[in-house]
Amino acid sequence: MRVRTSPSAGLLAALAMTTAGLGAVSGCGNGEASEDGDAEARAQRARRVAAAWDGSEAATAWRAGFHPMGDVIRLPRGGLRSTADAQAFRDHRFVLEGKLPAASPKEGRVVWAKGGSLNRPLVGAEEAYKTLSRGRAGGQPHLTVTGAELGETSVATSRGPAVVPAWLFHLKGYDSPLKQAAVLPSELPRPPIRRADGVPGYPLDRLVEVSGDGRSVTVVALHGFCDDGPVVDVLETRGSVVLSAFVKSPEYTGNCTKQAKMQQVTVEPDRPVGDRVLLDAHTGRPVPYKPPHGPSPSWR
């Protein structure tokens, strides 16, 4: 298993932290090192999480459900045409000109590329538009929606790529639509193990992506301004991939500001992730996916 870290401009923004929260994340100014005892405690926790999930009802429910692990919105073919349009999209500024379909089927079918399908409740066009615009009333700059129709899109899921029903929103000035998945994800299963108590480390902020071949996983981890950066350990079993996040021992021994920053960390499991459950050792839950254009409905 290999690990890579990669800071980015968007991820290096400082976050306000409480004194207790920062101490747990960074260890700034306390000179504490990541000793063998901490490493063993983290390893034991990861093993407990894997043992609790492997073969559990929660794991069965997870594998049977529809859980998006990639963006549920696809931009028009070729992307947005200007900086202003991109800003409008990021700010959820839309104006509706025209009518949206008032009726739609109650259910839609999710079809996986590797086989299998599942019927899930369908979100109406008006509700989907409200999610897209987040209820904001236009402003400048904005994108103009002239209508919508029901179609299909592809979504990365915990069971691999799937084709799902989607609302195709037509934008003024674009030849192809903006697509938004129209089916509701399955309910998250109740985890078979509680959140860690007193175990070194901290929760991962979010999953960024699992590569198409399943051989690399990129997550966002927190660390302090005075430590040597985040580390993510990996424990692999037949049924799960457990990620344990912590920080490298700080060399800095002076005063440290009560802030933390986020950094992408890419790990490469020894085997492709496949349909194994990707778990956060600290929370005992599946690592939450949060796409750049808003939270996936799986993680509300």
Side-chain angles (χ1 to χ4, degrees):
M1 184 273 295
R2 299 194 314 179
V3 178
R4 301 194 304 272
T5 58
S6 56
S8 67
L11 294 174
L12 292 179
L15 301 177
M17 303 286 289
T18 63
T19 301
L22 181 68
V25 171
S26 68
C28 287
N30 59 18
E32 293 181 359
S34 179
E35 299 176 350
D36 292 343
D38 288 350
E40 179 56 28
R42 287 191 300 268
Q44 288 181 0
R45 168 65 183 180
R47 289 192 292 268
R48 287 196 295 269
V49 170
W53 273 89
D54 289 357
S56 68
E57 292 182 2
T60 300
W62 174 265
R63 292 191 179 91
F66 166 55
H67 301 287
M69 302 293 278
D71 206 342
V72 296
I73 296 176
R74 286 189 176 270
L75 297 176
R77 188 168 49 250
L80 297 172
R81 64 186 181 186
S82 67
T83 302
D85 283 359
Q87 184 64 49
F89 178 73
R90 287 193 298 270
D91 293 342
H92 303 277
R93 295 196 178 278
F94 290 82
V95 169
L96 178 61
E97 290 184 2
K99 295 183 178 180
L100 298 175
S104 62
K106 292 184 178 180
E107 288 189 339
R109 183 172 289 273
V110 179
V111 180
W112 278 274
K114 296 180 179 180
S117 63
L118 181 68
N119 286 339
R120 293 296 304 160
L122 202 67
V123 174
E126 291 187 4
E127 184 178 350
Y129 175 76
K130 290 178 181 177
T131 301
L132 191 66
S133 65
R134 296 193 181 179
R136 296 181 180 178
Q140 294 294 339
H142 66 257
L143 291 164
T144 301
V145 174
T146 59
E149 60 185 322
L150 194 61
E152 293 181 334
T153 190
S154 59
V155 175
T157 80
S158 58
R159 296 167 58 180
V163 174
V164 304
W167 287 110
L168 313 184
F169 291 102
H170 300 287
L171 303 179
K172 182 179 289 186
Y174 288 86
D175 295 330
S176 61
L178 180 152
K179 301 179 180 181
Q180 180 173 351
V183 286
L184 289 175
S186 302
E187 183 178 354
L188 289 172
R190 183 176 180 179
I193 188 170
R194 294 182 179 180
R195 188 184 184 94
D197 183 18
V199 177
Y202 56 93
L204 290 163
D205 180 72
R206 65 184 181 273
L207 172 69
V208 176
E209 68 173 356
V210 177
S211 65
D213 59 8
R215 293 186 176 276
S216 70
V217 177
T218 301
V219 294
V220 173
L222 296 176
H223 69 105
F225 276 85
C226 307
D227 58 50
D228 294 335
V231 180
V232 178
D233 280 346
V234 180
L235 172 69
E236 297 184 62
T237 68
R238 292 184 61 184
S240 60
V241 178
V242 185
L243 305 181
S244 304
F246 60 102
V247 296
K248 296 179 184 177
S249 302
E251 295 180 356
Y252 184 82
T253 57
N255 293 327
C256 185
T257 58
K258 300 291 190 289
Q259 291 177 316
K261 53 186 178 180
M262 297 182 288
Q263 185 168 338
Q264 287 189 3
V265 180
T266 298
V267 297
E268 298 178 355
D270 293 330
R271 295 183 290 115
V273 174
D275 67 350
R276 294 183 291 173
V277 189
L278 191 63
L279 298 167
D280 184 331
H282 195 87
T283 65
R285 296 166 57 89
V287 181
Y289 174 75
K290 300 178 185 177
H293 310 310
S296 164
S298 278
W299 309 101
R300 288 178 178 173

